[in-house]
Amino acid sequence: MYPQTVALAVFSATLFATFFVAWLGRRHARHLEAAPLTEQKLNRWLVGLSAGATANSGFVVTGAVGLGYVYGFQWLLLPLGWLLGDIVFWTFFPQRINRFGAAARVTTLSEIITYRAGANLAARLLPVVCSIIVLVCLGGYTVAQWFSSTKVLHGAFGFDGMGASILFGAVIIAYTAIGGFRGSVYADSLQAVIRVVGTAIGVGAVAWFAVTSDAFGANIASAGPEFVHPLGSLSVSGAVGFVAGYAAAALGFGLGQPQILSRYLAGASPRETHAAWAIYLSFVQLTWIAMTVFGILLRGVMPGIEDPEAGFSLFFAKNMPGWVTGLIMADIFATLAATTNSLLVAMAQSVTRDLLRPLLGARAASAPIGIIALAVGAITMGASMVVSGTVVSFALTSVSLMAAGIAPSVMIKVLGWRHNSWSLLCSILLGFVSAAAWKYSGFGAVINEAAIGIALGLFVNWIIVALSRSDEASK
């Protein structure tokens, strides 16, 4: 068999396994699809692995590789900053989110934010504003996954851009429709295991080529002294701002990404949910740092790659046997699939529970999540074909703006801080708008916009509550 045929065969076998576990998840929990997420009762392994696989996203196998390849050691500061934010998040929030969800019986982000918000104008606007921000930001994040799939399938199998997007989109949308939420969790957990195996093979292979290549040292040297400097082009103060900004983005990511937060809501108990911290942190940091290091080593092994974000698949397609390439493509697909599937389910839940409920009332609960996910997936896939950008630009911008807009209100609710419906609404709007203004004014290069949006969102809530004499102010 030709190497590409072998690669496609191994890749197809993984697709079959993905569909099977998605179907298995639906079969095991069909009666829970319309129930609050707290009824799912996930154990710590399902919480940690599914949340970690979803958090990985196409950014890790494309964007992180590209950043390491182009900029070198400086971009190891990104997972370091993210780790600091994740430590803060896991110290205070997952168990509280699970406890809040059990008490309020909620499924979506806006249901957390609007719980006991009252019936005034601000309370009616809250779910709509939340849902719009969720759909816009998660839509952008999903576009980044379509970009990733195009780069990967083109690099490995030579598919053109449209063909790659259609193939990847059809598979992901189909198994999202088959599996629902439980299927998403099962598939994510399987894909997390594949991701660990693929990461080990990938880093081991590129390291072997690096140590056996006579040109490796010269290729790294040609990248310039900043490539191997721990801070790259940053000053010490710049590095501190860089790490602090992305630590804030990580905190906001945990609080403001519904496809991640849904795993914490679905935990079996607050204690079981919090116990997933080591599983999640180990998985995310291991794979993220490894892929950045892969990009750094790849610069010395294969200099001059036109699109560094496609470097992972290009390396294996050029240098490795077909069965190894197929396994690695399965690994990349697992990463992309885990995030894209969870994003589509989260957006479908937001449409069903936040946008359709005011129109349909109780009938919204019976709206088919799979069909709505299919429609959202088709829209975002179409958008990816007409817009331009990189995986890094779409992923980091979408995540940061989402964190700035949504995370402050979620933090306020689960920590029980004083608030009212107007303070929450203003927190969301000011956090999102200020972060967008900070980003597009160019100051995002100094400190990530999520830090600005979260800080201003919390501040405006405090100001409005302090000035308000309304009976809505509550703990």
Side-chain angles (χ1 to χ4, degrees):
M1 296 178 71
Y2 293 102
Q4 191 175 72
T5 304
V6 175
L8 282 169
V10 175
F11 180 71
S12 299
T14 303
L15 293 190
F16 175 80
T18 301
F19 272 98
F20 176 75
V21 296
W23 170 81
L24 191 65
R26 169 63 65 87
R27 182 182 180 186
H28 282 182
R30 185 181 296 273
H31 64 289
L32 296 175
E33 285 299 313
L37 288 176
T38 51
E39 299 297 326
Q40 296 283 344
K41 304 297 183 185
L42 304 182
N43 64 39
R44 67 189 66 183
W45 285 98
L46 289 175
V47 170
L49 289 177
S50 64
T54 302
N56 242 204
S57 86
F59 172 84
V60 169
V61 291
T62 54
V65 172
L67 290 171
Y69 187 95
V70 175
Y71 300 106
F73 282 85
Q74 173 186 333
W75 281 88
L76 288 172
L77 294 175
L78 177 53
L80 171 62
W82 210 268
L83 174 62
L84 297 178
D86 272 344
I87 289 173
V88 174
F89 172 77
W90 278 93
T91 299
F92 296 104
F93 291 105
Q95 67 272 35
R96 288 181 169 88
I97 291 170
N98 182 266
R99 187 178 296 113
F100 185 97
R105 296 181 65 79
V106 297
T107 295
T108 66
L109 272 174
S110 69
E111 289 176 346
I112 293 176
I113 294 170
T114 59
Y115 180 64
R116 294 182 176 175
N120 61 10
L121 177 61
R124 293 194 297 272
L125 289 174
L126 271 173
V128 176
V129 171
C130 288
S131 186
I132 290 173
I133 291 177
V134 165
L135 293 174
V136 169
C137 292
L138 293 193
Y141 199 27
T142 306
V143 167
Q145 311 313 308
W146 300 136
F147 282 165
S148 295
S149 70
T150 300
K151 294 173 186 289
V152 166
L153 293 177
H154 176 72
F157 304 123
F159 296 161
D160 62 30
M162 181 171 291
S165 291
I166 291 174
L167 172 62
F168 179 76
V171 171
I172 295 298
I173 293 168
Y175 93 72
T176 299
I178 290 172
F181 177 80
R182 191 78 177 200
S184 169
V185 170
Y186 280 22
D188 289 351
S189 300
L190 168 67
Q191 290 154 359
V193 175
I194 297 173
R195 177 88 272 265
V196 171
V197 174
T199 297
I201 293 174
V203 175
V206 77
W208 171 257
F209 274 79
V211 299
T212 57
S213 171
D214 294 333
F216 179 80
N219 291 336
I220 292 295
S222 68
E226 291 181 347
F227 187 84
V228 294
H229 192 282
L231 303 185
S233 60
L234 296 173
S235 64
V236 173
S237 60
V240 171
F242 183 93
V243 170
Y246 281 108
L251 175 61
F253 184 83
L255 289 166
Q257 292 289 318
Q259 77 279 10
I260 306 290
L261 187 138
S262 63
R263 274 57 182 167
Y264 310 136
L265 288 172
S269 67
R271 182 175 181 178
E272 189 71 7
T273 302
H274 184 258
W277 71 270
I279 301 166
Y280 176 91
L281 292 181
S282 299
F283 175 81
V284 169
Q285 288 295 313
L286 170 69
T287 52
W288 194 342
I289 291 172
M291 286 298 97
T292 306
V293 170
F294 181 96
I296 294 171
L297 295 176
L298 186 64
R299 180 67 175 266
V301 173
M302 293 175 63
I305 294 177
E306 183 177 350
D307 183 0
E309 290 189 336
F312 195 60
S313 57
L314 285 172
F315 170 80
F316 281 93
K318 181 178 179 179
N319 297 299
M320 303 301 288
W323 71 269
V324 177
T325 302
L327 182 61
I328 294 301
M329 291 310 102
D331 160 45
I332 298 175
F333 176 86
T335 302
L336 293 168
T339 299
T340 307
N341 170 48
S342 298
L343 288 167
L344 294 181
V345 171
M347 287 189 283
Q349 288 175 332
S350 182
V351 170
T352 301
R353 304 180 76 94
D354 302 330
L355 293 183
L356 294 183
R357 179 174 288 177
L359 299 175
L360 303 179
R363 289 179 296 168
S366 61
I369 290 289
I371 300 301
I372 295 172
L374 177 67
V376 173
I379 291 170
T380 53
M381 183 175 66
S384 73
M385 296 179 182
V386 298
V387 300
S388 59
T390 65
V391 176
V392 170
S393 63
F394 269 87
L396 291 183
T397 298
S398 299
V399 164
S400 298
L401 292 180
M402 184 85 162
I406 300 296
S409 293
V410 176
M411 186 185 303
I412 290 164
K413 294 292 288 191
V414 300
L415 292 178
W417 291 349
R418 292 176 63 87
H419 62 274
N420 57 51
S421 55
W422 284 108
S423 71
L424 293 178
L425 181 62
C426 291
S427 173
I428 293 169
L429 292 174
L430 180 61
F432 183 83
V433 171
S434 63
W438 185 268
K439 167 73 177 179
Y440 293 107
S441 67
F443 293 121
V446 179
I447 187 168
N448 184 272
E449 55 273 14
I452 305 303
I454 291 172
L456 289 178
L458 294 174
F459 178 72
V460 74
N461 177 80
W462 177 75
I463 288 291
I464 291 175
V465 169
L467 296 177
S468 175
R469 295 181 180 179
S470 169
D471 290 337
E472 282 188 67
S474 62
K475 285 190 176 181

